[in-house]
């Protein structure tokens, strides 16, 4: 869980359902930060409440497993008002997610809002495509995107 008084970054990834893209982003950044020896709090949430309490999509679990990471115990949760002051950064997976987050932000917000792909040189302003109605290949593309971003975030926070 994010440390309220901690001085290290705490990152919340937000997509729509919190069962496909943001859990994979969470897994990728946690793994990259651990590998780099950087202290970071990482979590994920959805703008919608469709999958509160649910495990990630089976295809997301399978994709993470292909990269040696077990996300089967993750549980879907919805973005909450307190997240805007609990995290240092709230990073949206796509532009629609970002617009949703911005429209809900309280005036006392302390977290920085942005797009996940803004971290990747050449991919600024880009979205991570929603793989929900796709196939395993789409989930593999999601992994490529979120792992690129995770590496970039680790580099940025290592400075
Ligand atoms: P996610 O994908 O936002 O990457 O978790 C989706 C998951 C569920 C739904 C849509 C997108 N849904 O409509 O239930």
């Amino acid at each position: 869980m994010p440390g309220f008084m901690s001085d290290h970054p705490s990152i919340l990834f937000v997509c729509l359902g919190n069962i496909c893209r943001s859990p994979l982003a969470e897994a990728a950044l946690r793994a990259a930060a651990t590998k780099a020896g950087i202290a970071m709090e990482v979590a994920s949430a959805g703008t919608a409440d469709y999958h509160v309490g649910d495990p990630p999509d089976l295809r997301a679990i399978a994709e993470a497993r292909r990269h040696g990471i077990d996300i089967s115990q993750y549980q879907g949760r919805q973005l909450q008002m307190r997240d805007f002051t609990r995290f240092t950064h709230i990073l949206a997976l796509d532009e629609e997610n970002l617009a949703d987050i911005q429209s809900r932000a309280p005036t006392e917000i302390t977290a920085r809002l942005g797009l996940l792909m803004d971290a990747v040189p050449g991919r600024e302003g880009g979205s991570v495509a929603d793989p929900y109605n796709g196939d395993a290949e789409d989930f593999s593309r999601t992994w490529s995107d979120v792992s690129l971003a995770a590496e970039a975030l680790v580099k940025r926070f290592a400075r």
Side-chain angles (χ1 to χ4, degrees), residues 15-23 50-51 130-132:
C15 62
L16 175 62
N18 191 212
I19 56 166
C20 299
R21 292 166 293 172
S22 62
Y50 312 144
H51 296 286
D130 187 348
Y132 186 64

Short mmCIF file of all heavy atoms in Angstrom, two decimals, residues 15-23 50-51 130-132, ligand 1:
data_model
loop_
_atom_site.label_atom_id
_atom_site.label_comp_id
_atom_site.label_asym_id
_atom_site.label_seq_id
_atom_site.Cartn_x
_atom_site.Cartn_y
_atom_site.Cartn_z
N CYS A 15 -7.12 2.13 -15.60
CA CYS A 15 -7.78 1.86 -16.90
C CYS A 15 -9.28 1.83 -16.65
O CYS A 15 -9.74 2.41 -15.65
CB CYS A 15 -7.26 0.56 -17.52
SG CYS A 15 -7.56 -0.93 -16.55
N LEU A 16 -10.04 1.19 -17.51
CA LEU A 16 -11.50 1.20 -17.34
C LEU A 16 -11.94 0.14 -16.32
O LEU A 16 -12.60 0.45 -15.33
CB LEU A 16 -12.16 0.95 -18.70
CG LEU A 16 -13.68 0.79 -18.71
CD1 LEU A 16 -14.36 2.06 -18.21
CD2 LEU A 16 -14.16 0.45 -20.12
N GLY A 17 -11.54 -1.10 -16.55
CA GLY A 17 -12.07 -2.19 -15.74
C GLY A 17 -11.17 -2.69 -14.62
O GLY A 17 -11.60 -3.41 -13.73
N ASN A 18 -9.87 -2.34 -14.70
CA ASN A 18 -8.86 -2.83 -13.75
C ASN A 18 -8.72 -4.35 -13.76
O ASN A 18 -8.44 -4.97 -12.74
CB ASN A 18 -9.14 -2.32 -12.31
CG ASN A 18 -8.00 -2.55 -11.33
OD1 ASN A 18 -8.23 -2.77 -10.14
ND2 ASN A 18 -6.77 -2.53 -11.79
N ILE A 19 -8.98 -4.95 -14.94
CA ILE A 19 -8.75 -6.39 -15.04
C ILE A 19 -7.83 -6.77 -16.21
O ILE A 19 -7.43 -7.92 -16.33
CB ILE A 19 -10.06 -7.20 -15.16
CG1 ILE A 19 -10.90 -6.73 -16.33
CG2 ILE A 19 -10.84 -7.17 -13.84
CD1 ILE A 19 -12.04 -7.69 -16.69
N CYS A 20 -7.53 -5.81 -17.10
CA CYS A 20 -6.66 -6.12 -18.25
C CYS A 20 -5.39 -5.27 -18.23
O CYS A 20 -4.31 -5.76 -17.89
CB CYS A 20 -7.40 -5.92 -19.56
SG CYS A 20 -8.86 -6.98 -19.76
N ARG A 21 -5.52 -4.00 -18.60
CA ARG A 21 -4.32 -3.18 -18.80
C ARG A 21 -3.64 -2.73 -17.52
O ARG A 21 -2.41 -2.86 -17.38
CB ARG A 21 -4.67 -1.96 -19.66
CG ARG A 21 -5.02 -2.32 -21.09
CD ARG A 21 -5.67 -1.16 -21.79
NE ARG A 21 -6.98 -0.86 -21.22
CZ ARG A 21 -7.73 0.19 -21.52
NH1 ARG A 21 -7.28 1.08 -22.38
NH2 ARG A 21 -8.91 0.36 -20.97
N SER A 22 -4.41 -2.14 -16.59
CA SER A 22 -3.73 -1.58 -15.41
C SER A 22 -3.11 -2.64 -14.49
O SER A 22 -2.04 -2.39 -13.92
CB SER A 22 -4.62 -0.60 -14.64
OG SER A 22 -5.79 -1.21 -14.14
N PRO A 23 -3.70 -3.84 -14.36
CA PRO A 23 -3.00 -4.87 -13.57
C PRO A 23 -1.67 -5.28 -14.23
O PRO A 23 -0.69 -5.55 -13.53
CB PRO A 23 -3.97 -6.04 -13.52
CG PRO A 23 -5.31 -5.46 -13.84
CD PRO A 23 -5.04 -4.30 -14.76
N TYR A 50 -17.24 -2.14 -12.65
CA TYR A 50 -17.69 -3.43 -13.20
C TYR A 50 -17.02 -4.64 -12.55
O TYR A 50 -17.62 -5.70 -12.45
CB TYR A 50 -17.37 -3.55 -14.70
CG TYR A 50 -17.73 -2.40 -15.59
CD1 TYR A 50 -16.89 -2.06 -16.67
CD2 TYR A 50 -18.89 -1.68 -15.40
CE1 TYR A 50 -17.22 -1.02 -17.52
CE2 TYR A 50 -19.22 -0.63 -16.26
CZ TYR A 50 -18.38 -0.30 -17.31
OH TYR A 50 -18.69 0.72 -18.17
N HIS A 51 -15.77 -4.50 -12.17
CA HIS A 51 -15.01 -5.69 -11.76
C HIS A 51 -14.39 -5.56 -10.37
O HIS A 51 -13.34 -6.12 -10.10
CB HIS A 51 -13.93 -6.00 -12.80
CG HIS A 51 -14.50 -6.36 -14.12
ND1 HIS A 51 -15.10 -7.58 -14.37
CD2 HIS A 51 -14.62 -5.66 -15.27
CE1 HIS A 51 -15.55 -7.61 -15.61
NE2 HIS A 51 -15.27 -6.46 -16.19
N ASP A 130 -7.21 -1.00 -25.62
CA ASP A 130 -7.98 -1.90 -24.76
C ASP A 130 -8.04 -3.29 -25.39
O ASP A 130 -8.60 -3.45 -26.48
CB ASP A 130 -9.39 -1.33 -24.60
CG ASP A 130 -10.22 -2.10 -23.59
OD1 ASP A 130 -9.80 -3.19 -23.18
OD2 ASP A 130 -11.30 -1.60 -23.22
N PRO A 131 -7.47 -4.31 -24.76
CA PRO A 131 -7.44 -5.66 -25.35
C PRO A 131 -8.67 -6.50 -25.01
O PRO A 131 -8.78 -7.65 -25.43
CB PRO A 131 -6.19 -6.28 -24.70
CG PRO A 131 -6.21 -5.70 -23.31
CD PRO A 131 -6.78 -4.29 -23.45
N TYR A 132 -9.60 -5.92 -24.24
CA TYR A 132 -10.73 -6.69 -23.68
C TYR A 132 -11.51 -7.47 -24.74
O TYR A 132 -11.87 -8.61 -24.53
CB TYR A 132 -11.66 -5.74 -22.91
CG TYR A 132 -12.78 -6.42 -22.18
CD1 TYR A 132 -12.52 -7.31 -21.13
CD2 TYR A 132 -14.12 -6.18 -22.51
CE1 TYR A 132 -13.54 -7.92 -20.43
CE2 TYR A 132 -15.15 -6.79 -21.82
CZ TYR A 132 -14.86 -7.66 -20.79
OH TYR A 132 -15.89 -8.26 -20.10
P1 LIG B 1 -9.28 -2.80 -18.90
O1 LIG B 1 -10.19 -3.63 -19.92
O2 LIG B 1 -9.90 -1.42 -18.81
O3 LIG B 1 -7.95 -2.80 -19.53
O4 LIG B 1 -9.32 -3.55 -17.59
C1 LIG B 1 -11.57 -3.73 -19.79
C2 LIG B 1 -12.11 -4.60 -18.87
C3 LIG B 1 -13.47 -4.72 -18.74
C4 LIG B 1 -14.29 -3.97 -19.56
C5 LIG B 1 -13.76 -3.09 -20.47
C6 LIG B 1 -12.39 -2.97 -20.59
N1 LIG B 1 -15.71 -4.11 -19.45
O5 LIG B 1 -16.42 -3.46 -20.22
O6 LIG B 1 -16.17 -4.87 -18.58
#
